[in-house]
Amino acid sequence: MDKNIVTVEKVNKYFSKILVLNDVSLKIQRSNVVVICGPSGCGKSTLLRCINGLESLNSGDIIINDKSILNKNNLRAIRLELGMVFQQFNLFPHKTVLENIILSPIINLGINKDEAIANGRKLLERVGILQKENDFPSSLSGGQQQRVAIARGLAMQPKIMMFDEPTSALDPEMIKEVLDVMIELAHDGMTMIVVTHEMGFAKEVADKIVMMDEGSIIEESEPKDFFGNPKNNRTKLFLSKILN
């Protein structure tokens, strides 16, 4: 079995005539945490959306767990292996916290309701908000809603969790409670792809940090080298602004 659970091969993506991903290649190993960073508009979120099949490729390929995303017959299987957490929480406002978590496993995995409820409660306990299971999303803080979104992603038993700037919509005091859950997931061995500007998180748990600029990967290295000895001048400039 290939030790790389995700392989991005020379991917190009256009929106109209604008090139947003330029010959992007990336390999992600099982149980690794990869942090993708870079300035706004550099293609980070588009890369995530291509990996989970929400955006089609103009050229190149993405292979997830030995399945090519170019084969449309693979899309459902690939998406079932990917958990996705967005900037906005995307919870169903008319359903309780627990109902939000159990809905997809029942529909997409065929899990019976009692088992889904038991699993959902375990996940709510894991993210620290079991006491909110009967509440509606509107009564929760942003940090609590994002933890529900993480639990919802985990309920699908994914092999990979992807996070698209999961703390950017949160107040500063709520960021830590979400990052703590993500750090625990990383320590448990979950494969994670995280688009974020939270460099403290990247230093603590990333196995690899990827720097993007203008649709290209311009640098990738372990945190020690990324922060201590960045090679690219654009990376140096980015770090000088984001770390000060």
Side-chain angles (χ1 to χ4, degrees), residues 1-233:
M1 184 178 287
D2 190 350
K3 67 180 179 180
N4 295 313
I5 194 168
V6 178
T7 301
V8 180
E9 296 179 341
K10 296 184 178 299
V11 164
N12 289 279
K13 173 65 182 176
Y14 289 85
F15 288 135
S16 186
K17 295 183 178 180
I18 300 171
L19 182 62
V20 291
L21 291 178
N22 183 10
D23 208 29
V24 171
S25 294
L26 178 65
K27 293 183 177 181
I28 298 172
Q29 295 184 9
R30 297 172 195 279
S31 299
N32 275 9
V33 177
V34 174
V35 167
I36 303 174
C37 62
S40 296
C42 71
K44 307 183 298 291
S45 296
T46 300
L47 177 57
L48 286 193
R49 291 174 64 83
C50 286
I51 290 173
N52 69 9
L54 290 174
E55 297 288 352
S56 60
L57 312 182
N58 289 102
S59 63
D61 194 5
I62 298 174
I63 298 163
I64 298 167
N65 222 11
D66 301 321
K67 294 182 285 290
S68 169
I69 207 159
L70 297 181
N71 184 340
K72 300 301 182 187
N73 294 328
N74 289 336
L75 271 180
R76 174 173 165 78
I78 285 172
R79 286 175 177 153
L80 288 176
E81 295 182 350
L82 298 171
M84 187 80 181
V85 178
F86 299 90
Q87 296 178 40
Q88 303 301 327
F89 320 121
N90 296 331
L91 301 175
F92 293 113
H94 61 291
K95 293 188 177 293
T96 66
V97 163
L98 185 59
E99 288 169 342
N100 264 278
I101 291 170
I102 68 173
L103 184 63
S104 191
I106 291 172
I107 293 173
N108 293 302
L109 299 182
I111 294 174
N112 71 60
K113 187 173 181 180
D114 289 343
E115 183 182 349
I117 288 172
N119 290 340
R121 285 177 174 150
K122 287 178 184 175
L123 289 169
L124 284 174
E125 185 171 20
R126 185 175 184 181
V127 300
I129 48 172
L130 179 57
Q131 74 279 9
K132 301 289 186 180
E133 68 170 277
N134 295 316
D135 292 5
F136 288 92
S138 60
S139 70
L140 305 182
S141 70
Q144 289 170 334
Q145 289 188 61
Q146 195 62 294
R147 283 188 278 164
V148 174
I150 293 172
R152 180 182 57 185
L154 291 172
M156 290 298 292
Q157 303 168 24
K159 293 183 170 64
I160 304 164
M161 282 291 289
M162 302 200 299
F163 298 83
D164 188 4
E165 300 196 35
T167 60
S168 65
L170 301 180
D171 293 333
E173 64 267 25
M174 296 176 184
I175 290 174
K176 183 178 184 300
E177 64 188 59
V178 173
L179 291 179
D180 284 347
V181 172
M182 294 170 64
I183 289 167
E184 184 178 325
L185 284 178
H187 289 161
D188 286 347
M190 173 64 74
T191 305
M192 296 166 62
I193 309 171
V194 186
V195 170
T196 186
H197 290 150
E198 298 293 339
M199 292 296 103
F201 169 83
K203 282 182 179 179
E204 181 171 349
V205 300
D207 295 286
K208 178 162 63 178
I209 302 178
V210 175
M211 173 74 186
M212 293 187 69
D213 189 41
E214 297 183 348
S216 298
I217 292 176
I218 61 171
E219 187 156 353
E220 58 177 290
S221 59
E222 295 179 3
K224 179 182 176 183
D225 293 327
F226 186 84
F227 292 107
N229 188 28
K231 302 290 192 297
N232 191 289
N233 285 333

